[in-house]
Amino acid sequence: MGYPQIEHHGAKDGVTGSCHQLDMNATTSLLVDCGLFQGDDASIPSGEGGSRLPIDFPLDSIKALVVTHVHIDHVGRIPYLLAAGFAGPILCSEASAKLLPIVLEDAFKLSFSRDQQRIERYIDIVESRLVALPYQHWFTLVDTEELNARIRLQRAGHIIGSAYVEIDLNYPQAGESKRIVFSGDLGAPHAPFLMPPQPPERADILVLESTYGDRLHEDRQTRRQRLEAVIEQALQDQGTVLIPAFSIGRTQELLYELEEIIHTRSVGASSLANVLPSETVPASSASVGASLLANSTTDRPPLATEMSATPIPPLSTEERAAPVLPLPSEKRANSDHLPLPSGERAGVRGRETMPENGITSESAEVRAETAGDTPATNWPKLPIILDSPLASRFTAAYRELKPLWNQEARDRVQAGRRPLSFEQLVTIDSHSDHQRIVNHLTQTARPAIVIAGGGMCSGGRIVNYLKAMLGDKRHNVLFVGYQAKGTPGHAIQTYGPEGGYVDLDGERFDIRAGISSIGGYSAHADQNGLVDFVTGMQQWPTEIRVVHGEQKAKQALADVLRVQYAACEVSIQAEPTD
């Protein structure tokens, strides 16, 4: 039997559960990723709902696990792999080595135990197995008379630390060699923070992802404009915009783009901030998340009758930069800067008179409505709420990994901007603060943007927001990432615009909130990006295995690749792996 051979233990018939085994010879193999199945992928086909969590393949020949990146659908079954007896090294990029323990700690808590001592012992085992490889560095895995195997990681541009894997196999006795490339997840060009992937020089066999193999993304400028426009429209409904997001990658890109929108809008809004009233809390609150909420003696929302009847004095520069949050009740009594009545737009609506110019915010809005315009959102005062402890940890790690940022991101920092820690950003850590925020936004429907953990709405804090707000037409849900079939996110995205329903934790919820999607914010390469990865090689692969995609996407990508090869009169075996 000829080698190498490739076995696909996951992501061959869907987009989750990535796990591929490269059999280098009869006794030696390498495992590439060991991810969690999600949505419809999580059940065994024709298995009456049986779980696909256990490791169902032998481990005796597997010498090492290489991790392309730390998304849960690529690493989430590592706890099960270790429990099954895998004792080899875990190879990954240097950045992934910093992030992987955070991901696996969370996965262990969800799957096995929340006992802190057990968690710490488990993480110690994981960290002792990690081998951090710099990009572009060849690492010898096997060196015998029969086989010489070495691997190299290259930037994949998907999330920070992501890599595609080059594997050189030499068989000295047979005088043969092969180069196999596993793409992992490839990133879109011009993504925030990251440098784009560069194709390898060559490959004999390529295992290629196809998540968006049947579609094209919007360019970055267009998608940012759409993000701004969608949020503007959603906030006109006088409610909160909920954005389900994966803790790593998507969340940080969103924060980066929102900071750019706020920065751009701040210039035009600076004169408005001097004449219109604004509710504030001390600027220092942004750095401690919802500490003010944690000290509150009541969970009820602020009432319109609690608004100050006296004119509000001009705000200081520090106060203008502060985020918009409800003040604790004990501080409201003596504050001149009180929360807005429920449903009113932050920093724009209200009846307070500004004595220094004779204009009221109400009259300014009336003039806008008379002119046929909808009052614009005051972006510099709009709270951006990050409600995901895991995402907060990853965001802090992103800040520590600035040397891996692209030039544009580093230039922003040099200019004094903080793309991941701007003033309007409020982080929520504790569960009690999370519940207070959910209750407050549900009852007041105040304008805010909430980025909450749980990218496909199958778990995480986003679920509590959805349960509380999906039935209220004032709120909006904005999807910026792929929603796998069988997940609540896919159901909301598909049936929400039709006024359908979704099951969350076994309970049915009607969908009355607005539903929007922006596909251009995918961290995956689109069809053009995937094709360019192949055709950018000096020596094109003679065999391509198309994985990590739904059947339609895999087939479309395979068809396009065949056309490219035919045009250049190059032979290819490019088939969707089913």
Side-chain angles (χ1 to χ4, degrees):
M1 185 177 294
Y3 290 94
Q5 297 178 358
I6 300 174
E7 303 174 68
H8 302 284
H9 303 305
K12 67 173 184 176
D13 51 6
V15 293
T16 64
S18 287
C19 188
H20 312 282
Q21 184 173 344
L22 174 65
D23 296 317
M24 298 180 279
N25 62 23
T27 60
T28 309
S29 66
L30 175 71
L31 199 64
V32 179
D33 290 336
C34 193
L36 191 69
F37 293 100
Q38 297 172 292
D40 288 350
D41 298 343
S43 297
I44 298 173
S46 304
E48 298 182 355
S51 172
R52 298 178 73 176
L53 286 173
I55 302 300
D56 58 359
F57 49 89
L59 305 177
D60 53 317
S61 71
I62 299 175
K63 302 306 180 185
L65 165 68
V66 57
V67 169
T68 62
H69 65 287
V70 302
H71 272 154
I72 198 70
D73 63 322
H74 288 255
V75 301
R77 282 201 296 163
I78 289 179
Y80 294 89
L81 185 69
L82 299 180
F86 174 71
I90 301 174
L91 313 177
C92 62
S93 72
E94 293 171 311
S96 290
K98 294 180 179 291
L99 301 173
L100 187 59
I102 302 174
V103 176
L104 294 184
E105 177 182 342
D106 189 66
F108 189 85
K109 289 178 181 177
L110 294 175
S111 303
F112 288 92
S113 171
R114 289 186 174 272
D115 179 82
Q116 191 58 36
Q117 289 187 339
R118 287 192 65 191
I119 293 170
E120 290 175 1
R121 287 197 300 269
Y122 165 71
I123 294 302
D124 286 343
I125 292 173
V126 170
E127 291 179 336
S128 69
R129 303 278 185 86
L130 288 176
V131 177
L133 302 179
Y135 290 122
Q136 301 181 338
H137 171 78
W138 284 109
F139 175 83
T140 299
L141 187 63
V142 179
D143 190 7
T144 67
E145 293 182 356
E146 295 181 358
L147 172 67
N148 177 270
R150 60 178 189 163
I151 74 169
R152 180 168 65 178
L153 302 183
Q154 302 278 28
R155 298 177 190 273
H158 176 60
I159 62 172
I160 204 161
S162 61
Y164 65 83
V165 186
E166 295 180 286
I167 305 165
D168 265 0
L169 301 180
N170 291 291
Y171 301 91
Q173 295 177 345
E176 296 179 354
S177 65
K178 290 282 186 181
R179 177 170 290 185
I180 300 94
V181 173
F182 289 83
S183 73
D185 286 357
L186 296 173
H190 313 299
F193 296 111
L194 304 178
M195 288 171 269
Q198 297 296 321
E201 293 179 2
R202 64 182 180 87
D204 296 300
I205 302 171
L206 171 63
V207 179
L208 179 63
E209 71 120 325
S210 60
T211 310
Y212 287 99
D214 60 344
R215 68 196 77 176
L216 303 177
H217 296 327
E218 297 170 287
D219 64 78
R220 183 173 166 196
Q221 180 64 24
T222 301
R223 76 181 189 183
R224 189 181 71 80
Q225 290 172 350
R226 283 200 65 206
L227 175 69
E228 185 173 354
V230 167
I231 292 176
E232 282 276 12
Q233 181 58 52
L235 292 172
Q236 302 306 319
D237 294 337
Q238 299 296 297
T240 297
V241 178
L242 304 177
I243 306 179
F246 295 104
S247 297
I248 182 168
R250 193 68 45 78
T251 290
Q252 290 75 33
E253 288 192 10
L254 278 170
L255 295 178
Y256 186 91
E257 295 287 68
L258 289 168
E259 188 273 343
E260 171 65 12
I261 295 172
I262 292 169
H263 174 78
T264 303
R265 290 297 192 97
S266 294
V267 176
S270 59
S271 59
L272 184 66
N274 289 324
V275 299
L276 293 181
S278 178
E279 63 179 274
T280 64
V281 294
S284 60
S285 67
S287 63
V288 296
S291 59
L292 291 178
L293 288 175
N295 295 325
S296 177
T297 59
T298 176
D299 285 342
R300 68 173 175 81
L303 303 176
T305 53
E306 292 174 319
M307 292 293 294
S308 171
T310 58
I312 297 179
L315 301 179
S316 67
T317 301
E318 182 182 26
E319 287 175 323
R320 290 192 193 106
V324 184
L325 275 181
L327 291 172
S329 57
E330 64 265 29
K331 295 188 178 183
R332 283 203 298 265
N334 298 316
S335 176
D336 289 327
H337 309 303
L338 300 177
L340 293 170
S342 60
E344 295 191 344
R345 187 163 288 107
V348 175
R349 301 187 69 171
R351 296 177 180 275
E352 296 79 3
T353 301
M354 301 303 294
E356 56 268 54
N357 53 38
I359 298 176
T360 67
S361 58
E362 181 184 39
S363 64
E365 182 180 55
V366 168
R367 284 202 302 273
E369 291 174 346
T370 302
D373 297 326
T374 303
T377 301
N378 189 355
W379 281 84
K381 298 298 181 185
L382 183 69
I384 313 297
I385 300 170
L386 176 58
D387 193 349
S388 169
L390 190 60
S392 296
R393 292 179 68 183
F394 284 132
T395 302
Y398 258 65
R399 291 197 294 266
E400 294 173 3
L401 294 168
K402 284 192 182 76
L404 296 178
W405 292 14
N406 62 19
Q407 191 60 49
E408 175 191 277
R410 293 199 296 268
D411 287 345
R412 289 192 187 184
V413 174
Q414 285 293 107
R417 291 166 59 181
R418 296 181 294 168
L420 294 179
S421 57
F422 47 93
E423 293 293 340
Q424 289 81 359
L425 180 62
V426 180
T427 59
I428 306 298
D429 291 321
S430 74
H431 184 72
S432 59
D433 287 349
H434 160 70
Q435 290 291 358
R436 286 191 174 99
I437 284 286
V438 172
N439 292 339
H440 176 74
L441 295 178
T442 300
Q443 295 177 50
T444 63
R446 69 182 303 150
I449 298 172
V450 174
I451 303 171
M456 296 186 188
C457 306
S458 54
R461 291 186 173 180
I462 190 63
V463 175
N464 288 334
Y465 285 99
L466 294 171
K467 289 178 179 179
M469 299 184 182
L470 272 179
D472 188 337
K473 64 181 181 181
R474 294 176 296 180
H475 302 299
N476 283 265
V477 181
L478 174 58
F479 290 103
V480 293
Y482 185 84
Q483 302 301 308
K485 288 184 177 179
T487 61
H490 184 269
I492 295 169
Q493 189 179 51
T494 303
Y495 304 112
E498 303 172 1
Y501 65 87
V502 63
D503 290 325
L504 298 170
D505 293 337
E507 186 177 354
R508 179 169 294 184
F509 292 86
D510 292 330
I511 304 173
R512 299 188 183 91
I515 308 298
S516 302
S517 298
I518 301 179
Y521 270 91
S522 173
H524 289 267
D526 63 5
Q527 186 184 86
N528 284 344
L530 296 169
V531 172
D532 288 346
F533 184 77
V534 176
T535 59
M537 299 184 196
Q538 295 178 18
Q539 177 185 319
W540 294 6
T542 54
E543 178 183 343
I544 299 177
R545 297 192 175 206
V546 182
V547 299
H548 200 288
E550 294 177 358
Q551 185 59 33
K552 180 173 175 287
K554 290 192 294 185
Q555 190 63 58
L557 179 60
D559 290 344
V560 170
L561 288 170
R562 287 194 196 92
V563 171
Q564 290 283 335
Y565 272 67
C568 295
E569 298 182 347
V570 180
S571 61
I572 180 181
Q573 177 186 344
E575 298 293 338
T577 302
D578 299 321

